Amino acid sequence: MRLTFLGTSAGAPTTERNVTALAVALDDSRSWYLVDCGEATQHRLLHCRYTLSRLKAIFITHVHGDHIFGLPGLLSAAVMQGRKDPLTICAPEGVELFIRQAFAISTQDCPFELIFIRSDHCEFSYCDNDVTVTSHGLSHRVPSFAYRFSEQAVPPRLNENKMAALGIPQGPLWGQLQRGEAIKGSDGQVIFPEQVLALPPKKRVVVVGGDNDQPKLLSHVLAEADILVHEATFTEAARKQVGSQWMHSTAKQVAKAATLAALPHLILTHFSGRYRLNAKPEEESVELLKLEAQRYYQGNIILAEDFATWQLQRNKKLVSLGYCSKQLSG
């Protein structure tokens, strides 16, 4: 599974980061999903390999502006680019009204169907041929949710070395075994599928959190997860200065939740504008968040960057694929 960060700033953009948006795709597929859509997300996409015609669904974590104000523009761009296929938008209450009103006020028609699904309902589930997505409640100033992306089960494949050892030629017999049917070998011996089928790879699971001041709420969701993408808006010291009324997580809180879940990979994002990538002596570096997290979590910690892409491989290793601008020709 592949994650491309289109915006990693909290509340408002900075000169280094845009507000929240994340592209999720299944490996090298051009089809993709969008989690949150802060202002100017459509502009960020101009630097990436993903197009609005191949967008399968949008998932909105909550209704705050830095997570939804890019939606009207992005959908308008899809109209102008000639999209015809229906588009599913999974979101809590308020998002459908926001979009419908924006189109009504701008007197723009939408030629493709918008399918809204309330993700704040307890029975919510999105499913297609590639992934199953569920929502999980968080703690914030408005209803906020995490989305758990689970890869669909991969069917077992034939072990070619075993097939060769049993003298089974390529052709219809391979298809029968792949379908779970027993066959007879050239010597009349019955060969069962379990003799030649390799174990399927384990499903990959990624959890993407919305704004949340209680990461421990995700403990049950992270049981089989490979990656948690979660906000770390402040360090502990910064939150003591600004107060807890904004209901955001610190790097320490997220790290402790990841440790409790024995999570392999943690990606921190949604950083306050006070933290800089290239901090001057009088400024605070974003590295302070990573340093704080490392004191409470010994797994793999990544600080999200705008346009950075990470690939969760089938062996569950997390590999950097660099930045969007270098992938456009891929």
Side-chain angles (χ1 to χ4, degrees):
M1 297 179 81
R2 188 170 295 186
L3 306 175
T4 298
F5 290 87
L6 304 174
T8 60
S9 185
T14 71
T15 56
E16 298 173 321
R17 300 190 295 270
N18 196 45
V19 283
T20 303
L22 171 67
V24 179
L26 197 61
D27 301 327
D28 200 40
S29 174
R30 292 280 183 170
S31 298
W32 62 291
Y33 311 89
L34 177 64
V35 182
D36 285 334
C37 188
E39 181 184 353
T41 294
Q42 64 165 314
H43 186 268
R44 310 302 269 187
L45 287 172
L46 297 177
H47 301 272
C48 297
R49 72 198 303 268
Y50 301 116
T51 64
L52 295 177
S53 63
R54 299 293 295 272
L55 177 58
K56 298 184 75 172
I58 299 173
F59 299 87
I60 300 298
T61 62
H62 64 292
V63 298
H64 280 158
D66 57 324
H67 295 256
I68 69 167
F69 281 174
L71 272 172
L74 181 134
L75 295 173
S76 295
V79 172
M80 289 186 284
Q81 292 173 18
R83 182 184 176 107
K84 301 298 182 184
D85 294 333
L87 178 61
T88 298
I89 301 177
C90 305
E93 182 180 12
V95 172
E96 179 176 4
L97 177 62
F98 170 60
I99 296 303
R100 301 290 188 198
Q101 290 283 55
F103 271 84
I105 291 170
S106 64
T107 67
Q108 182 175 30
D109 293 326
C110 187
F112 55 88
E113 182 184 8
L114 293 175
I115 303 170
F116 288 91
I117 303 176
R118 288 278 296 276
S119 58
D120 49 355
H121 288 172
C122 60
E123 70 276 9
F124 166 79
S125 179
Y126 169 91
C127 186
D128 61 25
N129 291 332
D130 295 324
V131 297
T132 295
V133 185
T134 53
S135 64
H136 305 273
L138 303 174
S139 171
H140 195 48
R141 304 191 308 278
V142 297
S144 184
F145 298 85
Y147 292 102
R148 181 183 185 273
F149 287 78
S150 177
E151 181 182 25
Q152 296 289 22
V154 179
R157 296 182 178 181
L158 295 172
N159 185 315
E160 294 188 12
N161 291 331
K162 291 183 178 180
M163 298 289 282
L166 291 169
I168 306 171
Q170 289 193 32
L173 295 178
W174 283 44
Q176 288 179 247
L177 288 166
Q178 182 70 61
R179 292 192 298 272
E181 302 170 8
I183 65 168
K184 283 189 177 182
S186 56
D187 59 358
Q189 181 182 0
V190 177
I191 300 171
F192 296 95
E194 53 267 27
Q195 293 178 249
V196 293
L197 287 174
L199 290 175
K202 291 184 178 180
K203 293 189 293 185
R204 292 169 291 180
V205 177
V206 175
V207 177
V208 182
D211 290 1
N212 174 36
D213 69 352
Q214 295 185 43
K216 61 185 180 181
L217 290 173
L218 290 171
S219 58
H220 67 292
V221 184
L222 298 176
E224 298 180 354
D226 302 298
I227 303 175
L228 170 63
V229 179
H230 198 284
E231 64 133 314
T233 305
F234 302 116
T235 59
E236 288 284 315
R239 193 167 75 165
K240 287 180 181 178
Q241 292 180 1
V242 303
S244 60
Q245 69 272 20
W246 304 112
M247 299 184 71
H248 286 295
S249 290
T250 64
K252 174 184 175 180
Q253 287 179 296
V254 185
K256 291 180 73 172
T259 295
L260 185 65
L263 192 75
H265 307 288
L266 174 61
I267 303 182
L268 302 178
T269 187
H270 197 270
F271 308 124
S272 165
R274 68 194 296 150
Y275 302 110
R276 312 293 295 180
L277 284 174
N278 301 297
K280 298 176 182 178
E282 69 276 11
E283 296 176 330
E284 295 180 90
S285 170
V286 71
E287 287 294 325
L288 292 173
L289 294 157
K290 186 173 185 178
L291 291 172
E292 179 172 288
Q294 286 174 330
R295 292 197 288 270
Y296 304 95
Y297 173 69
Q298 302 305 309
N300 182 28
I301 302 176
I302 304 296
L303 293 178
E305 296 181 59
D306 284 29
F307 298 126
T309 299
W310 292 88
Q311 171 80 26
L312 178 64
Q313 298 179 318
R314 292 211 174 275
N315 60 10
K316 302 305 182 77
K317 290 184 178 180
L318 187 60
V319 177
S320 171
L321 298 183
Y323 296 86
C324 286
S325 59
K326 296 180 181 180
Q327 301 164 18
L328 288 174
S329 59

